Structure formats: structure tokens, C-alpha cells
Amino acid sequence: MNGEELTEQETALYDRQIRVWGADAQRRLSKSHILVYGMKGTVAEFCKNIVLAGVGSVTLVDDREVTEEALSANFLILPDENLYHGKTLAEVCCDSLKELNPMVHVSVEKGDISTFGVEFFGKFDAVVISCCSLAKKKLINQKRQKLPKRVAFYTVDCRGCCGEIFVDLKDYKYSKKKLEETVECQLEFPSFEDTISVPWKALPKRVSKLYFAMRMIEQFEDAEGRNPGETSIADLPGVLKLRKELCETNSVNESQIPDALLERLLIGTSEYPPVCAIIGGILGQEVIKAISGKGDPLKNFFFFDAMDGKGLIEDISEPKPVS
């Protein structure tokens, strides 16, 4: 393959999707390189989708050992201890992903991702992170922002029956079909830091309650020095105290973050496979759109709650001054 044209083997394998989004989009996918950190169930679903779609390569980073919790939601881990004993989560998932599509190069990078240099992230077209503390999310995104080229940045989190996706494509140009014409479009995305720094009182009144609740849990874990998901219902008093402080500081009514929602997020630290499939499917779709340059991207948060079955897109950005 010369890097520009699809081989006969690729054309035959990806024939159906080429009919949907065209050969040019498939060529872009086949040359793309994706970095993935945190092999949870939602991320396993995402990886399956992009590997089957035919990206060029996927690099996995997760040095954790396989646990019972991981087995419950991550279908890439086969339920045979002999197959994963002594291996990291990334290594086990790598083996399974290679079998899904041998034409995609899947590899493992070992080490603490927060210590990787800026140039490391420059090797990729998209960075997807999960199982990350607030501080680590900010650090990785800051390194990615220093790169001269545009690298798409995504965070994904799933807690019980709830999940969220954050998207930052920087200054993004794409095309979409409008009636019989192809229209060229452009969107500017705020960074992760800028987004979560938007004052709550400046947000639309009907913004998803999940946005506030997820930021609160994130801040609580960060303040307590916890890893993501290391919370339980026993932490509810501390979380409610933080809610009072944050709502007073941001001039937001505490009803925007209901007790029942916080309780569900604290109890449901494990993932539900059906929710993983939904969130992972949406994330895969968004990364494919960003790489191919086809279709309206999600800007910039997606929330899903299985309790009502609704998926919501929220544009959380600093309000533009009225001229």
C-alpha cells in the first residue's frame, strides 16, 4: 500500500462502509492512528467499533491487572484466567482486537501516560482517555494542545447507568450534505480546561443535570486523592457538602444536582454492558466522523442516562459577548 490508495483486500473487506461514506473517507481512516487510555467496558466497545471500521492503528495504554470488575463489562477479556494471567489489561485487550481485524495494527504502550512527552502524542490523530483523574485529563490535554498539528481529544466516562463523552477538535473543518449539495463547514471547540471553567450560572437553565453531577463527583475524587470510581454511597455526606459549597459559589440552585442522581452515581461505580455499548458506539461514530471529515461532529458533551433512555448533546462553551 502506498499510503494513498486502498488495496484490493481493503476495498473488498470494507466494501459496505465504502458505499456509505465513500472511498476517500475510508482512505483517511486507514491512515489514522488512535491512542486509547483506560481499557474499561465502554472503551472496549469503542475499540471494537474503530478496529472493525478499519483505522490504521490503535495504541492501548493500561498497565492495570485484570479484575473481577473488568471481567463483568469488558468483553475483550476472555473468561479464562490462563489467557490473561500475568498480562495487563492493555495486553489482553490487544490480543482480542487483533483477532477482530488483522488488517489494523494494534499495539501496547507501557508506562504512566502522564509522564509521556508532548512528541509522543504527536504520533496520533485522536487521543481517547478514560479512567482518568481530573488532574491527569488536564495534563494530557495540555500536552496535546502544544502540538503544531490538530489532534482530536476525547474523554469518556461511564458510571452505572450513566455516561458522558467530551469532544475537542480544536479548529475543525468538515463537509456535510445539504439537500443535493455538499456544504463546507467549520467549528471551533473550546479546550477541556476552558469548558469546565465556564461559570455554572452562565450555562443555559435547561443544561443536563448529569453535567453538574459528573463535575461534582470528579472534583470530589480529585480533592480526596481518589482514583476514578473509588467512591461509594458512604461518601454521600461529603459529596452533599461539596454540592452546597459549589452551588453557593456558582449561584446555582441545589435542585440542579438531585440527591437521587448523586446516589446513583456513587453506588453505580461499575459499568453496565448495555450502557457501554451505547456510549462506545456513539464515541466510535464521532471519532470516525472527525477523521473522515464527513458529517456534523458532536459539540462538545454527550450525556446518556439509561433511567430515561435519553441521550443529550450539550454545547458547554463560554458565552460570546453580545455586540
Side-chain angles (χ1 to χ4, degrees):
M1 184 176 178
N2 61 16
E4 294 298 329
E5 298 297 329
L6 296 170
T7 64
E8 289 185 14
Q9 188 180 4
E10 285 177 313
T11 303
L13 180 61
Y14 304 128
D15 176 66
R16 289 187 178 182
Q17 55 204 51
I18 288 173
R19 293 171 190 264
V20 174
W21 53 55
D24 180 58
Q26 190 63 48
R27 276 194 296 270
R28 294 184 188 184
L29 280 174
S30 68
K31 292 189 291 181
S32 66
H33 305 288
I34 316 298
L35 175 66
V36 180
Y37 174 80
M39 295 308 301
K40 295 189 72 176
T42 307
V43 175
E45 290 282 354
F46 160 72
C47 288
K48 172 204 70 178
N49 294 329
I50 61 168
V51 165
L52 292 176
V55 297
S57 73
V58 178
T59 301
L60 309 178
V61 183
D62 196 328
D63 291 343
R64 295 176 300 166
E65 296 180 351
V66 177
T67 62
E68 286 295 325
E69 182 182 341
L71 281 168
S72 68
N74 189 334
F75 69 93
L76 294 175
I77 306 171
L78 299 177
D80 182 349
E81 188 174 351
N82 294 323
L83 296 176
Y84 63 78
H85 181 71
K87 292 184 177 181
T88 65
L89 268 173
E91 289 171 331
V92 174
C93 293
C94 179
D95 293 340
S96 297
L97 288 170
K98 285 179 178 178
E99 293 181 10
L100 290 178
N101 188 351
M103 296 186 71
V104 176
H105 179 69
V106 186
S107 62
V108 172
E109 186 76 28
K110 289 193 172 185
D112 181 357
I113 194 171
S114 62
T115 65
F116 295 174
V118 173
E119 66 283 350
F120 173 79
F121 297 96
K123 297 186 290 185
F124 304 97
D125 299 290
V127 174
V128 177
I129 64 173
S130 183
C131 313
C132 255
S133 66
L134 179 59
K136 190 174 285 189
K137 285 179 185 177
K138 290 179 177 179
L139 179 61
I140 294 170
N141 195 31
Q142 286 165 2
K143 292 181 180 181
R144 189 236 10 158
Q145 285 180 298
K146 293 178 180 177
L147 294 166
K149 73 169 189 174
R150 183 181 67 83
V151 176
F153 178 77
Y154 302 83
T155 70
V156 58
D157 288 296
C158 186
R159 293 172 183 268
C161 61
C162 299
E164 74 168 14
I165 298 169
F166 169 77
V167 181
D168 176 10
L169 305 181
K170 298 180 80 172
D171 188 8
Y172 179 64
K173 297 177 182 178
Y174 65 101
S175 62
K176 68 175 181 178
K177 284 196 172 183
K178 193 172 184 179
L179 298 177
E180 298 300 315
E181 295 182 327
T182 298
V183 181
E184 298 299 319
C185 307
Q186 184 170 349
L187 279 176
E188 288 188 15
F189 286 73
S191 70
F192 178 71
E193 293 90 338
D194 289 344
T195 300
I196 62 173
S197 297
V198 175
W200 288 3
K201 60 184 177 183
L203 298 174
K205 290 183 179 179
R206 296 180 65 84
V207 73
S208 171
K209 290 179 170 57
L210 258 179
Y211 173 74
F212 298 112
M214 294 292 269
R215 301 288 72 74
M216 262 198 50
I217 301 292
E218 198 172 55
Q219 287 192 42
F220 178 80
E221 289 174 340
D222 195 54
E224 294 288 319
R226 312 268 187 94
N227 290 320
E230 288 185 353
T231 52
S232 68
I233 194 63
D235 293 308
L236 184 60
V239 171
L240 292 178
K241 180 183 177 184
L242 179 61
R243 178 185 66 178
K244 188 174 188 302
E245 294 170 359
L246 290 175
C247 287
E248 287 178 355
T249 302
N250 289 279
S251 302
V252 169
N253 195 300
E254 289 185 39
S255 63
Q256 282 288 89
I257 318 172
D259 289 12
L261 177 57
L262 290 174
E263 288 173 10
R264 283 200 287 126
L265 292 176
L266 289 172
I267 294 171
T269 52
S270 299
E271 296 175 294
Y272 292 172
V275 178
C276 293
I278 293 169
I279 302 292
I282 297 292
L283 180 57
Q285 171 184 288
E286 289 305 312
V287 171
I288 289 170
K289 283 194 290 186
I291 292 169
S292 66
K294 297 288 183 74
D296 286 311
L298 186 160
K299 182 174 185 283
N300 52 353
F301 267 102
F302 174 79
F303 299 99
F304 178 76
D305 189 343
M307 288 295 284
D308 57 18
K310 291 181 180 179
L312 296 174
I313 296 173
E314 298 280 9
D315 185 352
I316 309 292
S317 305
E318 189 72 47
K320 293 182 178 179
V322 179
S323 55

